């Protein structure tokens, strides 16, 4: 792989920086002082992680996203198959979510999310996917390339892949074939698992012992808070628990751990799941994992007692708060979710330097 080029050096000069080359609070704004706010690591993928990041960037300047790398659909899947790279799509979405609300941030968020519409090979490819893969090829380093994109965008945090190799998600599903509703079989691929009409019983990844990205492990061990979820439960949230080094870090870290539940079951993947059922399947995949807080939207919990009982098995308290948008769609409101996280950090956190 080639090293840094003059063009890349110019891109570095273009990107807004904070102290030590880290992103600032906003382009042209004042860098947050390190050590004055909680160090937060958010794990997940897709739109669920994006919602969490959009909220968390409002309350801390020390934020790291650790993103799943099992996507095999759409533009990401095509690039993965053709070039053998990590799927960039969820990484791109996380970077877009970390863009600021100023003109610089919102312009770049739109650019990297832009998809080409054509009759040719570029159809439906996202600009950000191509940019990320190009920098991987130029630099030969996943983390360095993502850091550079983050600096170009003025991202309010860092984005890391959870593993250095692309993963294949496999699931044991009952009734994937509607004509055989009682048959349990293996379904392969994140896109297929997410849309299965059957009942997902468990998931695993191939390779079965994937290497974690060292920077991701270090971030979890160094964090004050680790946030898991919301997101597609079997294809975005649980996969982090299937990377042994990352799971070890989640169990060993002195950080407090908050699990953010979805606003509604996901058609196909978690159809009919209650809030406590989400916790039960999480526990089956990581029986030794402890949690400190389970966050749920108060309107999405029909039986608080059952959720409290399920959370207690993890050693966790339950926090209920209005975190959904008011338009009736099952999407998180960034401001409301930020307020809920902020309250949790203050009520359940240790006395820290950000107080």
């Amino acid at each position: 792989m080639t090293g840094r080029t003059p063009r890349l050096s110019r891109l570095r000069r273009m990107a807004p920086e904070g102290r030590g080359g880290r992103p600032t609070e906003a382009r042209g704004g004042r860098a947050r002082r390190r050590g004055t706010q909680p160090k937060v690591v958010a794990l997940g993928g897709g739109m669920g992680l994006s919602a969490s990041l959009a909220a968390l960037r409002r309350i801390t300047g020390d934020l790291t996203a650790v993103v799943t790398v099992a996507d095999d659909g759409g533009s990401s899947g095509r690039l993965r198959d053709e070039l053998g790279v990590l799927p960039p799509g969820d990484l791109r979405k996380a970077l877009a979510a970390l863009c600021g609300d100023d003109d610089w941030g919102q312009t770049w968020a739109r650019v990297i999310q832009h998809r080409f519409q054509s009759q040719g090979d570029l159809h439906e490819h996202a600009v950000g996917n191509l940019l990320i893969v190009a920098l991987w090829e130029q630099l030969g380093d996943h983390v360095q390339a993502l850091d550079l994109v983050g600096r170009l965008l003025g991202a309010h945090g860092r984005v890391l892949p959870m593993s250095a190799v692309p993963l294949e998600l496999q699931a044991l599903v009952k009734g994937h074939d509607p004509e055989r509703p009682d048959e349990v079989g293996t379904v392969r691929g994140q896109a297929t698992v997410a849309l299965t009409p059957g009942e997902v019983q468990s998931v695993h990844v191939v390779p079965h012992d994937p290497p974690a990205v060292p920077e991701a492990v270090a971030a979890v061990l160094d964090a004050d808070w680790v946030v898991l979820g919301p997101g597609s439960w079997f294809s975005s949230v649980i996969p982090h628990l299937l990377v042994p080094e990352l799971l070890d870090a989640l169990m060993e870290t002195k950080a407090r751990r908050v699990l953010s539940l979805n606003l509604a079951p996901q058609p196909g993947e978690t159809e009919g799941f209650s809030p406590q059922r989400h916790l039960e399947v999480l526990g089956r995949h990581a029986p030794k994992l402890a949690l400190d807080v389970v966050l749920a939207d108060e309107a999405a919990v029909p039986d608080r007692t059952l959720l409290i009982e399920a959370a207690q098995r993890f050693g966790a308290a339950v926090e209920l708060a209005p975190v959904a948008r008011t338009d009736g769609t099952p999407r998180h409101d960034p401001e409301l979710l930020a307020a809920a996280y902020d309250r949790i950090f203050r009520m359940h956190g240790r006395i820290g330097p950000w107080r």
Side-chain angles (χ1 to χ4, degrees), residues 234-254:
F234 287 106
S235 52
S236 292
V237 177
I238 289 177
H240 289 81
L241 309 178
L242 307 179
V243 179
E245 294 168 322
L246 194 54
L247 177 58
D248 288 345
L250 285 168
M251 293 191 296
E252 295 172 9
T253 182
K254 294 182 180 179

Side-chain angles (χ1 to χ4, degrees), residues 25 32 37 52-61 63 96-101 106 156-157:
E25 162 64 8
R32 292 185 187 268
Q37 297 180 54
S52 201
L53 295 175
L56 288 167
R57 69 174 173 82
R58 287 166 160 80
I59 59 175
T60 182
L63 176 59
L98 290 173
C99 286
D101 295 324
Q106 289 304 295
H156 297 186

Side-chain angles (χ1 to χ4, degrees), residues 41-54:
V41 176
L43 289 78
M47 298 309 297
L49 177 61
S50 295
S52 201
L53 295 175

Side-chain angles (χ1 to χ4, degrees), residues 6 16 25 28 76 120 184 188 199 208 210 266 316:
E25 162 64 8
S76 287
V184 176
R188 294 174 172 83
E199 177 187 340
H208 293 283
Q266 181 176 343

Side-chain angles (χ1 to χ4, degrees), residues 2-16:
T2 59
R4 299 175 184 171
T5 65
R7 180 173 297 177
L8 291 175
S9 297
R10 288 197 296 272
L11 282 174
R12 289 182 184 277
R13 289 195 296 270
M14 287 171 58

Side-chain angles (χ1 to χ4, degrees), residues 39 217-226 248-257 292 348-350 354:
K39 296 179 181 179
V217 172
V220 170
L221 292 174
D222 192 45
D224 296 307
W225 276 94
V226 175
D248 288 345
L250 285 168
M251 293 191 296
E252 295 172 9
T253 182
K254 294 182 180 179
R256 299 215 166 178
R257 289 153 290 213
D292 293 280
H348 296 273
R350 303 174 181 87
W354 64 88

Side-chain angles (χ1 to χ4, degrees), residues 111-338:
V111 168
I112 65 170
Q113 295 283 55
H114 176 75
R115 291 183 183 272
F116 296 105
Q117 301 297 314
S118 74
Q119 301 300 315
D121 292 339
L122 275 177
H123 181 65
E124 282 296 310
H125 269 307
V127 171
N129 288 355
L130 301 177
L131 174 62
I132 291 169
V133 172
L135 284 169
W136 282 343
E137 291 194 345
Q138 286 285 308
L139 301 178
D141 186 303
H142 294 114
V143 172
Q144 185 183 5
L146 289 166
D147 283 345
L148 180 55
V149 177
R151 290 173 61 186
L152 174 64
L153 273 55
H156 297 186
R158 193 181 197 194
V159 173
L160 300 169
M162 70 177 185
S163 178
V165 298
L167 305 179
E168 180 186 72
L169 189 71
Q170 297 186 359
L172 288 178
V173 180
K174 181 179 179 180
H176 178 67
D177 183 349
E179 296 184 358
R180 299 180 176 87
D182 296 324
E183 183 177 280
V184 176
T186 299
V187 175
R188 294 174 172 83
Q190 184 184 49
T192 306
V193 171
L195 297 175
T196 179
E199 177 187 340
V200 179
Q201 299 189 333
S202 65
V203 291
H204 61 274
V205 293
V206 178
H208 293 283
D209 191 15
V213 168
E215 291 86 349
V217 172
V220 170
L221 292 174
D222 192 45
D224 296 307
W225 276 94
V226 175
V227 176
L228 185 62
S232 299
W233 217 243
F234 287 106
S235 52
S236 292
V237 177
I238 289 177
H240 289 81
L241 309 178
L242 307 179
V243 179
E245 294 168 322
L246 194 54
L247 177 58
D248 288 345
L250 285 168
M251 293 191 296
E252 295 172 9
T253 182
K254 294 182 180 179
R256 299 215 166 178
R257 289 153 290 213
V258 56
L259 178 70
S260 186
L261 293 177
N262 294 335
L263 297 172
Q266 181 176 343
E269 188 172 319
T270 55
E271 186 73 42
F273 273 34
S274 64
Q276 57 271 16
R277 178 80 180 279
H278 286 77
L279 286 173
E280 290 165 4
V281 299
L282 189 83
R284 289 205 300 268
H285 288 83
K288 296 182 179 179
L289 179 66
L291 300 170
D292 293 280
V293 180
V294 173
L295 171 64
D297 186 84
E298 55 190 0
V301 180
D303 192 321
R304 298 186 182 190
T305 300
L306 290 178
L307 179 58
I308 290 171
E309 290 174 353
Q312 286 175 341
R313 298 188 189 104
F314 289 85
V318 171
E319 287 291 335
L320 301 179
V323 294
R325 293 180 183 265
T326 57
D327 59 6
T329 60
R331 295 184 299 165
H332 287 84
D333 182 280
E335 297 290 347
L336 293 176
L337 187 57

